[in-house]
Each structure stands twice: as structure tokens, then as C-alpha cells.
Amino acid sequence: MSVRDLAEYPWDAVVPFRERAAQHPDGLVDLSVGSPVDPTPEIIRQALADATDAHAYPQTVGTPSLREAIVDWYARRRGVLDLTVDNVLPTIGSKELVALLPTLLGLGEGDIVVHPSVAYPTYEVGARVVRATTFPSDDPAEWPDGTALIWINTPGNPDGRTWTVDELGAAVRRARELGAVLASDECYAELGWDGPWATEPIPSILDPRVTGGSRANLLSVYSLSKQSNLAGYRAAFVAGCARIVGDLLTARKHLGLMPPAPVQHAMAVALGDDDHVAVQKELYRARRDALCPALESAGFRIDGSEAGLYLWATEGRDAWESMGRLADLGILAGPGPFYGASSAQHVRLALTAPTDRVVEAARRLASTSL
């Protein structure tokens, strides 16, 4: 398909609500987009500065230190102990990989791409670019014959749905029955809040309890945007099946898809430092603890949201009406309909505004009856 066939960028529809919210006498509180607002940790900024003599072309495959850092991070933080550098590949952020994966895998008309029923829109966009058919479903038993690529998102954006080891195992078994590639978008995996994820690490699709000893056709995608405030660096990576990673590497060499050398150095440093990740998580926790009770007191129900960067909330009414009511309080949310047909009554609120603005939003919500 041509890029002209893509729909208008959906966030353009939010502009009138932003303008409405900005008229509030105490200012706008923007909870609509999950773009980090906290400073990039100094240790990472210094690493970037130290690597600015980048006169040569960077390596598409990643520097040896970066590849080893990714392998070590999966072992230390995700319980995946058996990766080698041949199983990992840096990417220019995770969105480009999500959008391009159907293309890079050679999918086309007649192939089916499964994605979550409540989902980040780029899974569908990537499939549409190659004229594949999309199939929204969270139940492996529903995944149809002809499926070539399955996306799961754990923890999910926007709803925070997080897959257990048993659920991931069922997904892997069904993908193998279908002969499909199973790609797990795991970029919020450090942000567990409720239920088992309050105390347990969130499992990866590459967890040995899930894979049964084989990574064939399995991919884990991760981004440093959230845990390290590196959204502006475009710093992410994919890991898993060595055959697929090798094929992606070949294609990306031809296409010139290579993270800048200073970013690769900064990524390696970021992956080796867990302290800044813990600090950032506590900032998000404080914002979440302020916002949750205020939303509930204002008549919202929070669904899911057991992990991740967002609160998935509903008043039981049309999402655009909720958007308007929040805008009258000077609060800008993200509309649920952007994330699937089943989300017509939900809004998404991000935890990425400065803490004082989140507290201000909570104050406004707690003092009103919506």
C-alpha cells in the first residue's frame, strides 16, 4: 500500500481538547502521551558526551560492548540466562521495529498479523503497510490458520494487561502450531504495580519457563525510553531467535537502520546501571499513588493497569464525553478509541507529567463530581 492510504494521524483529533484544557485558569495538565519528562540520568548523558567523536559509520549489529550489555541485562533483569550476542540487535527506538517487522519478515497480502484487542496502533499500521490482514485477539485459541506474525504486549499499552508464565507458554504453543513468529513488546516490564507484579519480576517471552528450551520464532522487543528517560535517544533492541535476528540484521544493513554510535555507547552504560531505573520507578509510583484515588473519587473505574505507564479508566460513558469533562478540569487524556473498537468508553492517563502537575490533576479530580 502507499503511505497515502494510511489514515490521518489519530492524535490530531485531540487538538480541540488540548485547546479546551489549556483554558483552565490553573493551566493544562497533559496526561495524554507517555513521553518522559524527567531528566535523563547524568551517568547516561555523560556517556553520550564521551562518545561524540563519532567520525566512522556506526555498526548496525551494535558495538561489542552494547551487545554484551543487552545479553547481561536479560540475564540480570529478565531471568533469561542463555542468550549470546547472536541473539540480540539494537534498533532505532522500538516503534520503527514494530512498524517495520512485517516488512522485514517479508509478509504480504494473504498473511495474517495478530495483535492485542486493546493495542498500540502501530501493530496494525505495520500490517497494513504490507497489505496483510489484521486479527485483534488476546486468546491463543482464537488465532487463525494463516497467521504469520503474532504481537503480544506485556505489560500492555494502554491497559497494563500483563501475561503470566502460563499464559505466555500457551501463546508459544499456539504460535508453534501455526508456524508463526511470536513477538512480545515488553518495554514496560520494569513497571509492575499490583497483584503478583508488586513483588515478582514480569516474565519475558524468552523466559526459560516459557520457551521450553527453544527460542525458535520468538522475539522480545524492549525500549529504554521509559526506564531510563531515553525517548529522545531512540534506544531500543530486539532479542530472541538467532535466525530471525540474523535476517533482520541483513535487511537493516541494506536499509541503513543503525543507531548512532554515541547512542550505542550510552545504551551500554544505561543497561549496566540499575540504580537510576529504581529511582525512576519510584517517581512513577508516587504519581500513580496520587492519581488513582482521585480518579476513583471522581467517578472513574480503573481497569487493569496492574503494570505499565498508564491508568486505563472509564466512567461507563462515551470516551469523547469523558475527554471533554476532563478537559474542563484542564486535564488532557488519551481517548480509548485510538486503541481498538472495544475501548469506546475508556481514556488513558499517562504517569509522565511532572509530579507537581499530577498532584494538581489529582486535586482537581478530588474536588469535583464528574
mmCIF file with all atom_site columns, all heavy atoms in Angstrom, residues 28 50 58 93 120 125 127 136 165 171 180 210 221 286 289 295 311 316 351:
data_model
loop_
_atom_site.group_PDB
_atom_site.id
_atom_site.type_symbol
_atom_site.label_atom_id
_atom_site.label_alt_id
_atom_site.label_comp_id
_atom_site.label_asym_id
_atom_site.label_entity_id
_atom_site.label_seq_id
_atom_site.pdbx_PDB_ins_code
_atom_site.Cartn_x
_atom_site.Cartn_y
_atom_site.Cartn_z
_atom_site.occupancy
_atom_site.B_iso_or_equiv
_atom_site.pdbx_formal_charge
_atom_site.auth_seq_id
_atom_site.auth_comp_id
_atom_site.auth_asym_id
_atom_site.auth_atom_id
_atom_site.pdbx_PDB_model_num
ATOM 1   N N   . LEU A 1 28  ? -2.849  23.778  31.973 1.00 0.00 ? 28  LEU A N   1
ATOM 2   C CA  . LEU A 1 28  ? -3.043  22.440  31.421 1.00 0.00 ? 28  LEU A CA  1
ATOM 3   C C   . LEU A 1 28  ? -2.218  21.416  32.194 1.00 0.00 ? 28  LEU A C   1
ATOM 4   O O   . LEU A 1 28  ? -1.055  21.657  32.521 1.00 0.00 ? 28  LEU A O   1
ATOM 5   C CB  . LEU A 1 28  ? -2.609  22.448  29.949 1.00 0.00 ? 28  LEU A CB  1
ATOM 6   C CG  . LEU A 1 28  ? -2.448  21.102  29.243 1.00 0.00 ? 28  LEU A CG  1
ATOM 7   C CD1 . LEU A 1 28  ? -3.809  20.440  29.036 1.00 0.00 ? 28  LEU A CD1 1
ATOM 8   C CD2 . LEU A 1 28  ? -1.737  21.287  27.905 1.00 0.00 ? 28  LEU A CD2 1
ATOM 9   N N   . ASP A 1 50  ? 30.805  11.547  26.137 1.00 0.00 ? 50  ASP A N   1
ATOM 10  C CA  . ASP A 1 50  ? 32.122  10.941  25.991 1.00 0.00 ? 50  ASP A CA  1
ATOM 11  C C   . ASP A 1 50  ? 32.309  10.271  24.629 1.00 0.00 ? 50  ASP A C   1
ATOM 12  O O   . ASP A 1 50  ? 33.449  10.023  24.213 1.00 0.00 ? 50  ASP A O   1
ATOM 13  C CB  . ASP A 1 50  ? 32.348  9.897   27.088 1.00 0.00 ? 50  ASP A CB  1
ATOM 14  C CG  . ASP A 1 50  ? 32.503  10.520  28.470 1.00 0.00 ? 50  ASP A CG  1
ATOM 15  O OD1 . ASP A 1 50  ? 32.742  11.741  28.547 1.00 0.00 ? 50  ASP A OD1 1
ATOM 16  O OD2 . ASP A 1 50  ? 32.356  9.781   29.458 1.00 0.00 ? 50  ASP A OD2 1
ATOM 17  N N   . PRO A 1 58  ? 28.454  3.930   12.308 1.00 0.00 ? 58  PRO A N   1
ATOM 18  C CA  . PRO A 1 58  ? 28.195  3.003   13.408 1.00 0.00 ? 58  PRO A CA  1
ATOM 19  C C   . PRO A 1 58  ? 27.918  1.599   12.881 1.00 0.00 ? 58  PRO A C   1
ATOM 20  O O   . PRO A 1 58  ? 27.633  1.397   11.701 1.00 0.00 ? 58  PRO A O   1
ATOM 21  C CB  . PRO A 1 58  ? 26.950  3.594   14.081 1.00 0.00 ? 58  PRO A CB  1
ATOM 22  C CG  . PRO A 1 58  ? 26.248  4.333   12.991 1.00 0.00 ? 58  PRO A CG  1
ATOM 23  C CD  . PRO A 1 58  ? 27.327  4.874   12.100 1.00 0.00 ? 58  PRO A CD  1
ATOM 24  N N   . GLY A 1 93  ? 15.022  3.035   18.469 1.00 0.00 ? 93  GLY A N   1
ATOM 25  C CA  . GLY A 1 93  ? 13.744  3.037   19.171 1.00 0.00 ? 93  GLY A CA  1
ATOM 26  C C   . GLY A 1 93  ? 12.995  1.757   18.852 1.00 0.00 ? 93  GLY A C   1
ATOM 27  O O   . GLY A 1 93  ? 13.391  0.974   17.976 1.00 0.00 ? 93  GLY A O   1
ATOM 28  N N   . TYR A 1 120 ? -1.707  -0.623  21.099 1.00 0.00 ? 120 TYR A N   1
ATOM 29  C CA  . TYR A 1 120 ? -0.909  0.402   20.457 1.00 0.00 ? 120 TYR A CA  1
ATOM 30  C C   . TYR A 1 120 ? -1.144  0.312   18.934 1.00 0.00 ? 120 TYR A C   1
ATOM 31  O O   . TYR A 1 120 ? -0.998  -0.765  18.342 1.00 0.00 ? 120 TYR A O   1
ATOM 32  C CB  . TYR A 1 120 ? 0.530   0.091   20.823 1.00 0.00 ? 120 TYR A CB  1
ATOM 33  C CG  . TYR A 1 120 ? 1.632   0.960   20.336 1.00 0.00 ? 120 TYR A CG  1
ATOM 34  C CD1 . TYR A 1 120 ? 1.649   2.325   20.576 1.00 0.00 ? 120 TYR A CD1 1
ATOM 35  C CD2 . TYR A 1 120 ? 2.726   0.382   19.682 1.00 0.00 ? 120 TYR A CD2 1
ATOM 36  C CE1 . TYR A 1 120 ? 2.720   3.096   20.156 1.00 0.00 ? 120 TYR A CE1 1
ATOM 37  C CE2 . TYR A 1 120 ? 3.807   1.150   19.272 1.00 0.00 ? 120 TYR A CE2 1
ATOM 38  C CZ  . TYR A 1 120 ? 3.796   2.511   19.504 1.00 0.00 ? 120 TYR A CZ  1
ATOM 39  O OH  . TYR A 1 120 ? 4.850   3.265   19.091 1.00 0.00 ? 120 TYR A OH  1
ATOM 40  N N   . VAL A 1 125 ? -0.730  -0.729  11.917 1.00 0.00 ? 125 VAL A N   1
ATOM 41  C CA  . VAL A 1 125 ? -0.143  0.062   10.835 1.00 0.00 ? 125 VAL A CA  1
ATOM 42  C C   . VAL A 1 125 ? 0.914   -0.747  10.090 1.00 0.00 ? 125 VAL A C   1
ATOM 43  O O   . VAL A 1 125 ? 0.949   -0.778  8.847  1.00 0.00 ? 125 VAL A O   1
ATOM 44  C CB  . VAL A 1 125 ? 0.458   1.366   11.388 1.00 0.00 ? 125 VAL A CB  1
ATOM 45  C CG1 . VAL A 1 125 ? 1.304   2.067   10.328 1.00 0.00 ? 125 VAL A CG1 1
ATOM 46  C CG2 . VAL A 1 125 ? -0.644  2.299   11.876 1.00 0.00 ? 125 VAL A CG2 1
ATOM 47  N N   . ALA A 1 127 ? 1.144   -3.921  9.723  1.00 0.00 ? 127 ALA A N   1
ATOM 48  C CA  . ALA A 1 127 ? 0.498   -4.941  8.903  1.00 0.00 ? 127 ALA A CA  1
ATOM 49  C C   . ALA A 1 127 ? -0.148  -4.332  7.659  1.00 0.00 ? 127 ALA A C   1
ATOM 50  O O   . ALA A 1 127 ? -0.061  -4.886  6.555  1.00 0.00 ? 127 ALA A O   1
ATOM 51  C CB  . ALA A 1 127 ? -0.549  -5.675  9.730  1.00 0.00 ? 127 ALA A CB  1
ATOM 52  N N   . PRO A 1 136 ? -7.391  -8.821  15.652 1.00 0.00 ? 136 PRO A N   1
ATOM 53  C CA  . PRO A 1 136 ? -7.232  -8.479  17.064 1.00 0.00 ? 136 PRO A CA  1
ATOM 54  C C   . PRO A 1 136 ? -7.761  -9.582  17.976 1.00 0.00 ? 136 PRO A C   1
ATOM 55  O O   . PRO A 1 136 ? -8.929  -9.958  17.899 1.00 0.00 ? 136 PRO A O   1
ATOM 56  C CB  . PRO A 1 136 ? -8.051  -7.189  17.201 1.00 0.00 ? 136 PRO A CB  1
ATOM 57  C CG  . PRO A 1 136 ? -9.054  -7.246  16.094 1.00 0.00 ? 136 PRO A CG  1
ATOM 58  C CD  . PRO A 1 136 ? -8.449  -8.048  14.991 1.00 0.00 ? 136 PRO A CD  1
ATOM 59  N N   . VAL A 1 165 ? 3.496   -16.487 33.250 1.00 0.00 ? 165 VAL A N   1
ATOM 60  C CA  . VAL A 1 165 ? 4.305   -17.533 32.619 1.00 0.00 ? 165 VAL A CA  1
ATOM 61  C C   . VAL A 1 165 ? 3.411   -18.550 31.920 1.00 0.00 ? 165 VAL A C   1
ATOM 62  O O   . VAL A 1 165 ? 3.682   -18.967 30.779 1.00 0.00 ? 165 VAL A O   1
ATOM 63  C CB  . VAL A 1 165 ? 5.212   -18.205 33.666 1.00 0.00 ? 165 VAL A CB  1
ATOM 64  C CG1 . VAL A 1 165 ? 5.818   -19.492 33.116 1.00 0.00 ? 165 VAL A CG1 1
ATOM 65  C CG2 . VAL A 1 165 ? 6.308   -17.249 34.107 1.00 0.00 ? 165 VAL A CG2 1
ATOM 66  N N   . ALA A 1 171 ? 0.641   -19.127 24.623 1.00 0.00 ? 171 ALA A N   1
ATOM 67  C CA  . ALA A 1 171 ? 0.838   -18.360 23.402 1.00 0.00 ? 171 ALA A CA  1
ATOM 68  C C   . ALA A 1 171 ? 1.942   -18.977 22.543 1.00 0.00 ? 171 ALA A C   1
ATOM 69  O O   . ALA A 1 171 ? 1.820   -19.073 21.312 1.00 0.00 ? 171 ALA A O   1
ATOM 70  C CB  . ALA A 1 171 ? 1.174   -16.914 23.739 1.00 0.00 ? 171 ALA A CB  1
ATOM 71  N N   . ALA A 1 180 ? 4.028   -19.551 13.255 1.00 0.00 ? 180 ALA A N   1
ATOM 72  C CA  . ALA A 1 180 ? 4.084   -18.085 13.226 1.00 0.00 ? 180 ALA A CA  1
ATOM 73  C C   . ALA A 1 180 ? 5.231   -17.565 14.078 1.00 0.00 ? 180 ALA A C   1
ATOM 74  O O   . ALA A 1 180 ? 5.667   -18.210 15.045 1.00 0.00 ? 180 ALA A O   1
ATOM 75  C CB  . ALA A 1 180 ? 2.764   -17.504 13.735 1.00 0.00 ? 180 ALA A CB  1
ATOM 76  N N   . VAL A 1 210 ? 9.048   -20.402 29.816 1.00 0.00 ? 210 VAL A N   1
ATOM 77  C CA  . VAL A 1 210 ? 8.097   -20.194 28.718 1.00 0.00 ? 210 VAL A CA  1
ATOM 78  C C   . VAL A 1 210 ? 8.538   -20.911 27.450 1.00 0.00 ? 210 VAL A C   1
ATOM 79  O O   . VAL A 1 210 ? 7.734   -21.522 26.754 1.00 0.00 ? 210 VAL A O   1
ATOM 80  C CB  . VAL A 1 210 ? 7.952   -18.678 28.432 1.00 0.00 ? 210 VAL A CB  1
ATOM 81  C CG1 . VAL A 1 210 ? 7.097   -18.434 27.188 1.00 0.00 ? 210 VAL A CG1 1
ATOM 82  C CG2 . VAL A 1 210 ? 7.367   -17.956 29.638 1.00 0.00 ? 210 VAL A CG2 1
ATOM 83  N N   . VAL A 1 221 ? 10.997  -7.528  22.368 1.00 0.00 ? 221 VAL A N   1
ATOM 84  C CA  . VAL A 1 221 ? 11.335  -6.158  21.979 1.00 0.00 ? 221 VAL A CA  1
ATOM 85  C C   . VAL A 1 221 ? 11.340  -5.301  23.243 1.00 0.00 ? 221 VAL A C   1
ATOM 86  O O   . VAL A 1 221 ? 10.418  -5.381  24.063 1.00 0.00 ? 221 VAL A O   1
ATOM 87  C CB  . VAL A 1 221 ? 10.315  -5.609  20.964 1.00 0.00 ? 221 VAL A CB  1
ATOM 88  C CG1 . VAL A 1 221 ? 10.670  -4.185  20.562 1.00 0.00 ? 221 VAL A CG1 1
ATOM 89  C CG2 . VAL A 1 221 ? 10.243  -6.516  19.736 1.00 0.00 ? 221 VAL A CG2 1
ATOM 90  N N   . ALA A 1 286 ? 4.880   7.324   42.782 1.00 0.00 ? 286 ALA A N   1
ATOM 91  C CA  . ALA A 1 286 ? 4.301   8.441   43.530 1.00 0.00 ? 286 ALA A CA  1
ATOM 92  C C   . ALA A 1 286 ? 3.189   9.106   42.732 1.00 0.00 ? 286 ALA A C   1
ATOM 93  O O   . ALA A 1 286 ? 2.143   9.473   43.290 1.00 0.00 ? 286 ALA A O   1
ATOM 94  C CB  . ALA A 1 286 ? 5.395   9.450   43.872 1.00 0.00 ? 286 ALA A CB  1
ATOM 95  N N   . ASP A 1 289 ? 0.174   6.765   42.754 1.00 0.00 ? 289 ASP A N   1
ATOM 96  C CA  . ASP A 1 289 ? -0.492  6.753   44.054 1.00 0.00 ? 289 ASP A CA  1
ATOM 97  C C   . ASP A 1 289 ? -1.329  8.013   44.275 1.00 0.00 ? 289 ASP A C   1
ATOM 98  O O   . ASP A 1 289 ? -2.332  7.981   45.001 1.00 0.00 ? 289 ASP A O   1
ATOM 99  C CB  . ASP A 1 289 ? 0.540   6.619   45.174 1.00 0.00 ? 289 ASP A CB  1
ATOM 100 C CG  . ASP A 1 289 ? 1.159   5.227   45.243 1.00 0.00 ? 289 ASP A CG  1
ATOM 101 O OD1 . ASP A 1 289 ? 0.637   4.308   44.586 1.00 0.00 ? 289 ASP A OD1 1
ATOM 102 O OD2 . ASP A 1 289 ? 2.175   5.074   45.951 1.00 0.00 ? 289 ASP A OD2 1
ATOM 103 N N   . LEU A 1 295 ? -8.981  9.719   40.727 1.00 0.00 ? 295 LEU A N   1
ATOM 104 C CA  . LEU A 1 295 ? -9.841  9.286   39.621 1.00 0.00 ? 295 LEU A CA  1
ATOM 105 C C   . LEU A 1 295 ? -11.061 8.537   40.159 1.00 0.00 ? 295 LEU A C   1
ATOM 106 O O   . LEU A 1 295 ? -12.195 8.764   39.719 1.00 0.00 ? 295 LEU A O   1
ATOM 107 C CB  . LEU A 1 295 ? -9.061  8.392   38.659 1.00 0.00 ? 295 LEU A CB  1
ATOM 108 C CG  . LEU A 1 295 ? -8.150  9.087   37.657 1.00 0.00 ? 295 LEU A CG  1
ATOM 109 C CD1 . LEU A 1 295 ? -7.214  8.066   37.005 1.00 0.00 ? 295 LEU A CD1 1
ATOM 110 C CD2 . LEU A 1 295 ? -8.962  9.805   36.575 1.00 0.00 ? 295 LEU A CD2 1
ATOM 111 N N   . LEU A 1 311 ? -2.861  4.664   33.347 1.00 0.00 ? 311 LEU A N   1
ATOM 112 C CA  . LEU A 1 311 ? -4.084  4.243   34.013 1.00 0.00 ? 311 LEU A CA  1
ATOM 113 C C   . LEU A 1 311 ? -5.172  4.189   32.947 1.00 0.00 ? 311 LEU A C   1
ATOM 114 O O   . LEU A 1 311 ? -5.372  5.152   32.192 1.00 0.00 ? 311 LEU A O   1
ATOM 115 C CB  . LEU A 1 311 ? -4.456  5.225   35.128 1.00 0.00 ? 311 LEU A CB  1
ATOM 116 C CG  . LEU A 1 311 ? -3.448  5.309   36.273 1.00 0.00 ? 311 LEU A CG  1
ATOM 117 C CD1 . LEU A 1 311 ? -3.884  6.352   37.286 1.00 0.00 ? 311 LEU A CD1 1
ATOM 118 C CD2 . LEU A 1 311 ? -3.244  3.956   36.936 1.00 0.00 ? 311 LEU A CD2 1
ATOM 119 N N   . GLY A 1 316 ? -17.918 4.684   32.285 1.00 0.00 ? 316 GLY A N   1
ATOM 120 C CA  . GLY A 1 316 ? -19.064 3.968   31.734 1.00 0.00 ? 316 GLY A CA  1
ATOM 121 C C   . GLY A 1 316 ? -19.841 4.791   30.727 1.00 0.00 ? 316 GLY A C   1
ATOM 122 O O   . GLY A 1 316 ? -21.020 4.536   30.490 1.00 0.00 ? 316 GLY A O   1
ATOM 123 N N   . LEU A 1 351 ? 1.540   8.594   33.261 1.00 0.00 ? 351 LEU A N   1
ATOM 124 C CA  . LEU A 1 351 ? 2.204   8.989   34.502 1.00 0.00 ? 351 LEU A CA  1
ATOM 125 C C   . LEU A 1 351 ? 3.458   9.808   34.221 1.00 0.00 ? 351 LEU A C   1
ATOM 126 O O   . LEU A 1 351 ? 4.356   9.885   35.060 1.00 0.00 ? 351 LEU A O   1
ATOM 127 C CB  . LEU A 1 351 ? 2.576   7.738   35.307 1.00 0.00 ? 351 LEU A CB  1
ATOM 128 C CG  . LEU A 1 351 ? 1.422   6.799   35.656 1.00 0.00 ? 351 LEU A CG  1
ATOM 129 C CD1 . LEU A 1 351 ? 1.941   5.568   36.382 1.00 0.00 ? 351 LEU A CD1 1
ATOM 130 C CD2 . LEU A 1 351 ? 0.369   7.509   36.493 1.00 0.00 ? 351 LEU A CD2 1
#
